[in-house]
Amino acid sequence: MNPVSSPKSPGSINPHEAIHRDPEMVIFGFWVFMMSDLIFFGVVFAIYITMVGATAGGPGPKELFDFGSLFAQTMLLLTSSLTAGIATVIVKHERSRAAFLFWVVITLLLGMGFLALELYDFAGMAEKGGVPQRSGYLSAFFGLVPLHGLHVTFGCLWMIVLIVQVFTMGLGDVVKLRFLRLALFWHFLDLIWIGIFSVVYFGGWVYG
Amino acid sequence: MAKEPTFAQHLRLYITGYILSIVLTLAAFAAVLTTGKENKSVLILVALLGVAQLVVQLKYFLNVTTQRDRRDNLALILFSSLILLIIVMGTVWIMGNLAVRMHTTM
């Protein structure tokens, strides 16, 4: 737990190394980060809710949303959460490195598929005049949904870096712990997406 | 702490979570698309399904439990949820009230 209480003399321990001795602490620290991110998302959600209806004569949710694409995006993200979970189980039970890499690559591809669909959706919205500067409503929409997309983008980058690290550093404890945090982050994004399709899309459609 | 689950048990946990979350998602989409999107009361159902999904994912994917040695995580999540609730409910309440008093539609 505490680096000072370690049996070795405290001076000889590299503090960075000491942190990695306690995986529970590292995971807990990551939870603290995720919860601060959750509150950040919460504020942007609150802005969106107060901005529903502030369309200033521009296109609103009823003209802009494509529920087919929304459904496909939701399925891609949910499935990628499962594949990230399978990779987690493989890491925890120390199964083969190849199987681990396989499931990480599948997760990465599903994540990129989600991003491609989302960008396609935004392009479709822009064609109908739904650009961020059109109204307060659209500013709020493009403040929230692409913020989630940006998180997914960074998650994908994280996966690419992790795959490179597995090849260069091997699947050691440090890389494993990095993956466990990535998996938590990925499941967390899935949870935020539940909020987005319930509040932004369904809520926006009904009240907008 | 309970003994560590085996590989198959662990895998089954994630698959159960996935199936439950798919069912809840399908139910939410079906509710909105079949009752017509004009019906405001459908959102109550969507909210309930959303909360159920939240619980399912926290339990099966994020492995949050009430076990004694994992209480730190739970306390952190509950505290953050409280802050979140105050921010979101407070904002909606105040801004909604303001909109009514200013006779503007929200």
Side-chain angles (χ1 to χ4, degrees), chain B:
Chain B
M1 198 179 144
K3 74 178 169 63
E4 278 295 307
T6 64
F7 182 75
Q9 280 170 333
H10 217 140
L11 203 60
R12 205 174 303 134
L13 205 70
Y14 278 94
I15 292 169
T16 312
Y18 178 66
I19 292 169
L20 284 175
S21 60
I22 288 284
V23 168
L24 290 167
T25 305
L26 285 175
F29 272 82
V32 172
L33 296 177
T34 56
T35 58
K37 293 152 197 152
E38 311 302 323
N39 190 347
K40 286 192 189 343
S41 56
V42 75
L43 280 187
I44 296 167
L45 184 61
V46 168
L48 289 175
L49 288 169
V51 171
Q53 172 111 266
L54 199 77
V55 172
V56 164
Q57 294 214 4
L58 280 174
K59 179 170 164 31
Y60 293 97
F61 289 168
L62 292 160
N63 305 318
V64 175
T65 63
T66 47
Q67 276 167 23
R68 205 164 276 280
D69 58 341
R70 299 270 197 81
R71 287 275 167 86
D72 285 358
N73 268 355
L74 192 66
L76 176 70
I77 293 164
L78 289 176
F79 177 69
S80 310
S81 307
L82 177 70
I83 303 281
L84 186 73
L85 219 64
I86 293 169
I87 291 174
V88 175
M89 300 292 241
T91 304
V92 173
W93 184 11
I94 292 171
M95 296 309 283
N97 212 299
L98 195 66
V100 170
R101 286 169 193 279
M102 298 286 282
H103 302 289
T104 54
T105 49
M106 217 177 88

Side-chain angles (χ1 to χ4, degrees), chain A residues 62-136:
Chain A
K62 287 189 174 67
E63 293 93 66
L64 294 173
F65 292 164
D66 174 357
F67 279 80
S69 169
L70 176 73
F71 184 69
Q73 286 176 54
T74 306
M75 286 302 140
L76 281 175
L77 208 62
L78 273 176
T79 310
S80 77
S81 209
L82 172 70
T83 57
I86 294 173
T88 308
V89 179
I90 290 169
V91 161
K92 283 190 176 158
H93 292 270
E94 305 190 329
R95 295 295 167 109
S96 82
R97 201 171 97 167
F100 169 71
L101 282 174
F102 173 78
W103 289 108
V104 174
V105 169
I106 297 286
T107 310
L108 176 64
L109 291 176
L110 287 167
M112 295 205 304
F114 168 84
L115 282 174
L117 259 181
E118 186 162 63
L119 286 175
Y120 172 79
D121 241 22
F122 292 161
M125 284 176 75
E127 260 174 35
K128 295 178 205 157
V131 286
Q133 62 270 37
R134 180 62 190 81
S135 65

Side-chain angles (χ1 to χ4, degrees), chain A residues 126-197:
Chain A
E127 260 174 35
K128 295 178 205 157
V131 286
Q133 62 270 37
R134 180 62 190 81
S135 65
Y137 170 72
L138 282 161
S139 300
F141 176 89
F142 282 103
L144 174 51
V145 183
L147 179 68
H148 175 270
L150 206 61
H151 277 75
V152 176
T153 309
F154 279 100
C156 287
L157 274 176
W158 189 347
M159 272 184 243
I160 292 166
V161 171
L162 201 94
I163 291 165
V164 172
Q165 286 188 345
V166 170
F167 282 113
T168 55
M169 303 165 69
L171 191 53
D173 285 347
V174 173
V175 175
K176 276 181 186 169
L177 210 50
R178 282 176 188 160
F179 174 75
L180 290 182
R181 273 172 286 177
L182 169 63
L184 278 183
F185 180 70
W186 203 258
H187 296 316
F188 168 71
L189 289 182
D190 208 22
L191 275 181
I192 298 290
W193 185 255
I194 309 297
I196 288 183
F197 80 66

